Amino acid sequence: MAEIPQADETVVVHVQLRPRRGSTRRCLAELSALAAAHPAVAFSVTGLAKDERVVRVTVGVELGPRAAIARFSPQAQAAYAFVSDVFTVLYDHMPVYATEPAVAERAAAEALLQVADDLLEPAPVAYAAV
C-alpha cells in the first residue's frame, strides 16, 4: 500500500550539477557563494558520483512543508529563487532536476561532508606553562 504524503512533510527538490572533472572545485566554490547569497534556504549536498567526464553533485533543496508550498510560503519562495539561481548562475555546470540520489551517491556525499567538517574544525590549542 502506498504511503499518503502528509501536509507537514518537508518536500525536497534535487538538482544535479555536472561539472567537468577539472572544474569541480570551482563549481563547489560557486555553489558556496550562491548559498551565502541565499542564507534563508536550507540545502545540502545529497549525492556524489562520477564518470569519465563529469562529477555529478546532487543538491537537495528544502521547499518546506507540503501544505505551505501550496500557499507559496516565504520559505518556498526563497527556495524557488535559490533553485532559479542555481540554473542561471551555475549554468556552465549543466544543472538538471534529478531524482533522489542512490545509496552509494548519498554515502559518497556524507563522506565528503565529513572530511570537509574535519578540515574546518579548528585545531585544539595546547597551552604550555610558562
Side-chain angles (χ1 to χ4, degrees), residues 15-52:
V15 177
Q16 190 174 83
L17 299 165
R18 294 170 293 155
R20 298 203 186 284
R21 284 187 166 211
S23 65
T24 304
R25 286 184 186 188
R26 191 181 85 216
C27 174
L28 293 173
E30 290 172 353
L31 181 61
S32 178
L34 192 57
H38 295 269
V41 177
F43 83 95
S44 63
V45 174
T46 56
L48 285 175
K50 65 181 179 172
D51 61 27
E52 60 280 347

Side-chain angles (χ1 to χ4, degrees), residues 94-115:
M94 302 177 280
V96 294
Y97 285 106
T99 59
E100 192 168 322
V103 173
E105 293 171 327
R106 283 188 177 278
E110 289 172 9
L112 172 75
L113 295 175
Q114 182 60 48
V115 168

Side-chain angles (χ1 to χ4, degrees), residues 28-99:
L28 293 173
E30 290 172 353
L31 181 61
S32 178
L34 192 57
H38 295 269
V41 177
F43 83 95
S44 63
V45 174
T46 56
L48 285 175
K50 65 181 179 172
D51 61 27
E52 60 280 347
R53 291 183 19 242
V54 298
V55 175
R56 293 184 304 278
V57 179
T58 305
V59 178
V61 182
E62 290 186 25
L63 300 179
R66 189 171 301 280
I69 294 169
R71 292 188 299 271
F72 213 55
S73 70
Q75 181 181 359
Q77 289 180 45
Y80 284 129
F82 176 78
V83 170
S84 177
D85 281 355
V86 166
F87 277 87
T88 55
V89 174
L90 301 176
Y91 176 80
D92 290 341
H93 304 297
M94 302 177 280
V96 294
Y97 285 106
T99 59

